[in-house]
Structures are given as C-alpha cells and as structure tokens.
Amino acid sequence: MKEKLSQFHTAILIYMIQTGVYVFSITQVEAQYFGTNGWLITIPASILVCLNIYQIYWVYRLGEGQSIFDILERSIPKFILAPFYLAISTVWALIGCLVAKQYVLIFQMFAFPTTNPMVFKIAIDILAFMLLTKGLYNISKASTVFFWCTIWMSLLLLYYAGEFRIERLTPYIFKDGSSMLEGFFQIYLAYLGYELCLLLFPYTDKKTKLFRAVIYGNLIRTVSYTIMGFVSFGVVGSDMLKVMLFPLLDLLAYIKLPFIERIENLFYGFFLFTTLITLVLYFWAAGESTQRVFPKIKINVHYFFIILVALLISYIPTVLNRIREWLLFLGYIQIGFAYIMPFILIALLLWQRRKRQRDAQC
C-alpha cells in the first residue's frame, strides 16, 4: 500500500509550492498597482483563493476521492483527452522550469555575474530529478525539512522595528494606484500552486483532511505576504517601493553583521529550497499527466524527458523581463485551469451519477 500524505505535510507542501520567486517582487507590484497600503490586497486575493479551494472540495466530495483523470476518462474518449493531457503537462513543466530559471538569473545577477546561469539551472534540475524519483510522499517530507530551514527568516522582519514609521503607511488605501485589475491578477499569481491539490486526491485519505490542510497552507502564505508587505510599506514607503526591482532583497541587504559581508547572498541561497519544491511539484504534476498518455513508460523516464525538454526550452528566454512575460502568460492559463477544470469535473460527476441512477432503474 502506498503511504498517504498527512495533514501537516500537505499544509506545508501547499505553502512551499506557493512560495516561489514572486516573493522577491510582490511588494513592488502592490505599490505600483495599488499605491498606498497596497499590502492589503493580499487579503481579498487570499479569500478568492479560498473560494476556489472550496470549489475544488466539491469535486473531491462528489467524486469520493477519485483521481481527476479517472473522472475525465469515464466520460470523454481518450483520443480527445490525450492532447489536453500533453498541453497541460507542457504548461506545468514550463511554469516549474521558468520559476527556476528566474531564480537562477537573479542569483547570478547578485552573486555570480560572470558565471553562465545555465550551469546553476542544470544543477537545480539534477536535484529536482533526484527528488522526483523518491515519490510524492518523500517529496512532502523533504518540503517539511525545507520549511524549517526557511521559516526562521520571517524573524528577520524584527530587525526593521527601529526603521518602521507608521506615517509611511498613510491613512489612505489604494491611492495613486493604476490598472488595479491587472495588478490583482499579478498578485493572484503569487498564490498559484494550491490548484495542484486537484492531483493529490489519490494520495490522501480521510485522516489527511486534504482541504483543511490546503486552507491552512494558504493561510500561512497569506499571513507571510501580509506581514512582509506591512513591514515593507512601513519601512520603505509606497513611492520608493515602486522603483525597486526586488524589494525583499533590498531589505535583506540592509541587514549588516560585523563578521560577514553581503549577507543577503546567504539569505537568498535559502530561497533555493522553496524554489526547488515549486519546481519539483510542477514537474511531478506534468509527469502525472503524461503518464495517462504513455502508461507503459516508467514514471522516472517521464520525469527525465520532461526535465530535459523544459531545460532546452529554458535556453530561449535569457533576460528577466522575457521570463516574467512568459510566466505571466502561463500563469493566466493556470488561473483558467484552476477555475474551469473544477466546473467541468463537477458537471461530469453529476452526469455520471444521474446515468448510474438511470441504469439502476432499468
């Protein structure tokens, strides 16, 4: 029997998936699109995420924990689903790959400007493959270890207590903002990753309490984003945040210790753990999808070719702006998947239930 995920490991896993590279620039987006007290936008974004999670919960409840692939294949021919599986696996693989490439480019820019970034990218992909071969249960345990390796960094916000000024927050809410709808979508992208719980149904049981765990993971992420935004707006101010490329890294650079220089590079290295889990889970999701198309091929072979193809594609974008554009486009596709797929699955489950009742009466 396969081991099932625990509630604690699942909550941490969801939190870690959501903690991507976007954390470095989210306060800049809040200031640019929402102006003063833009950090408050994380709350309505999180509420919308919770509503989507509740929508996914009904898929789980109506399907009694069935795999979403089984639900689809009971009503839709395989030759129609195969292109969809390959398309969505491509989206997942590219999201994971580009998140890692974005991390590598930022790391190279701050720490190793003369080193080829693809050297770091290949090293991360090797780590991802090694973790993928251990299975989802071990990935969840690794994410918990990585969580404890990084969560302590939240205490660094206490360092700025002396620099915090309440007047920098101002009494105004969302003043001097622009294109707020576009900004809201970009803030929502920082929460993506929770939707992969659609694929966790077969790996959980009643003891897992899957959706309670997903909500807990999202709430931890929300509290983290909100506190970080509150501190950033109180220490730097919305006007200065608008012109910062990576406000979090600039804040970390402000920390000075007498026995070490450029400590922000050390702190930045810890974010590799969160980036790695995001990368691994999206590759894992891609493998779950392609395995339905090529079931006779071993899963590790799926992972190898997914990582290889994604690595080759990652050579195309070479600057951060291009990667950001790609991630925005793929993120919008993923938002559509997160909301449309549960509706399709619920409709199929209701139709299948009605069909069973009609056949039972005959």
Side-chain angles (χ1 to χ4, degrees), residues 9-36:
H9 286 322
T10 305
I12 298 302
L13 187 64
I14 296 299
Y15 166 83
M16 294 292 283
I17 301 172
Q18 291 179 315
T19 311
V21 183
Y22 214 87
V23 69
F24 301 132
S25 58
I26 186 172
T27 51
Q28 189 269 341
V29 175
E30 293 168 352
Q32 178 183 349
Y33 288 98
F34 297 94
T36 55

Side-chain angles (χ1 to χ4, degrees), residues 36-37 163-170 233-238:
T36 55
N37 286 305
E163 301 296 326
F164 188 90
R165 298 291 181 271
I166 194 68
E167 56 268 20
R168 292 195 183 107
L169 297 177
T170 78
F233 276 76
V235 172
V236 181
S238 60

Side-chain angles (χ1 to χ4, degrees), residues 20-66:
V21 183
Y22 214 87
V23 69
F24 301 132
S25 58
I26 186 172
T27 51
Q28 189 269 341
V29 175
E30 293 168 352
Q32 178 183 349
Y33 288 98
F34 297 94
T36 55
N37 286 305
W39 58 276
L40 288 169
I41 195 60
T42 57
I43 298 174
S46 179
I47 292 173
L48 195 59
V49 168
C50 290
L51 291 175
N52 190 207
I53 293 171
Y54 184 69
Q55 180 189 8
I56 296 172
Y57 161 76
W58 277 102
V59 178
Y60 181 83
R61 183 170 178 176
L62 290 172
E64 298 178 345
Q66 298 177 67

Side-chain angles (χ1 to χ4, degrees), residues 49-323:
V49 168
C50 290
L51 291 175
N52 190 207
I53 293 171
Y54 184 69
Q55 180 189 8
I56 296 172
Y57 161 76
W58 277 102
V59 178
Y60 181 83
R61 183 170 178 176
L62 290 172
E64 298 178 345
Q66 298 177 67
S67 165
I68 65 169
F69 301 115
D70 292 338
I71 297 171
L72 290 170
E73 290 168 13
R74 282 194 179 93
S75 301
I76 303 175
K78 195 69 173 286
F79 73 89
I80 296 177
L81 288 174
F84 169 74
Y85 288 158
L86 294 176
I88 196 61
S89 66
T90 301
V91 171
W92 286 334
L94 287 178
I95 289 176
C97 183
L98 291 175
V99 166
K101 181 68 178 290
Q102 189 177 25
Y103 172 87
V104 164
L105 287 179
I106 298 173
F107 186 61
Q108 182 221 20
M109 180 173 61
F110 280 89
F112 299 96
T114 60
T115 305
N116 188 336
M118 295 309 296
V119 174
F120 297 114
K121 179 64 173 64
I122 293 172
I124 292 176
D125 284 345
I126 292 174
L127 289 174
F129 179 75
M130 293 173 63
L131 194 53
L132 280 165
T133 58
K134 302 302 180 181
L136 181 63
Y137 182 75
N138 289 311
I139 292 172
S140 71
K141 292 193 291 186
S143 71
T144 303
V145 174
F146 294 160
F147 170 79
W148 294 118
C149 290
T150 56
I151 193 62
W152 64 268
M153 295 180 65
S154 301
L155 299 175
L156 294 174
L157 295 175
L158 297 174
Y159 185 89
Y160 307 101
E163 301 296 326
F164 188 90
R165 298 291 181 271
I166 194 68
E167 56 268 20
R168 292 195 183 107
L169 297 177
T170 78
Y172 304 104
I173 296 179
F174 301 161
K175 185 180 180 181
D176 299 327
S178 62
S179 303
M180 291 188 181
L181 181 60
E182 178 184 351
F184 185 81
F185 276 109
Q186 294 203 31
I187 295 296
Y188 197 91
L189 294 179
Y191 286 94
L192 283 180
Y194 70 90
E195 74 285 353
L196 295 185
C197 70
L198 277 165
L199 306 183
L200 299 181
F201 295 173
Y203 300 90
T204 61
D205 53 22
K206 292 182 178 180
K207 294 181 180 179
T208 305
K209 297 180 180 178
L210 174 61
F211 289 94
R212 185 177 296 180
V214 177
I215 290 292
Y216 287 161
N218 179 65
L219 289 180
I220 297 171
R221 180 71 269 170
T222 302
V223 171
S224 177
Y225 278 149
T226 303
I227 294 176
M228 184 177 66
F230 177 75
V231 172
S232 298
F233 276 76
V235 172
V236 181
S238 60
D239 291 336
M240 186 64 70
L241 284 172
K242 290 179 182 180
V243 298
M244 288 182 171
L245 188 59
F246 303 111
L248 179 59
L249 295 181
D250 291 332
L251 283 175
L252 292 177
Y254 182 78
I255 298 176
K256 304 294 182 182
L257 295 178
F259 52 86
I260 188 170
E261 293 183 0
R262 301 296 303 273
I263 195 172
E264 69 273 15
N265 290 341
L266 175 63
F267 292 147
Y268 184 73
F270 282 100
F271 286 100
L272 172 62
F273 297 132
T274 59
T275 303
L276 182 62
I277 292 300
T278 302
L279 169 69
V280 166
L281 259 294
Y282 274 107
F283 279 165
W284 171 82
E288 291 288 293
S289 184
T290 58
Q291 196 176 27
R292 309 299 292 205
V293 182
F294 308 106
K296 295 182 180 180
I297 299 177
K298 293 183 178 180
I299 187 62
N300 288 346
V301 178
H302 282 268
Y303 294 145
F304 176 79
F305 279 102
I306 288 170
I307 292 175
L308 179 61
V309 172
L311 175 64
L312 295 175
I313 294 175
S314 70
Y315 274 90
I316 299 175
T318 57
V319 294
L320 284 171
N321 284 339
R322 180 59 61 85
I323 292 177

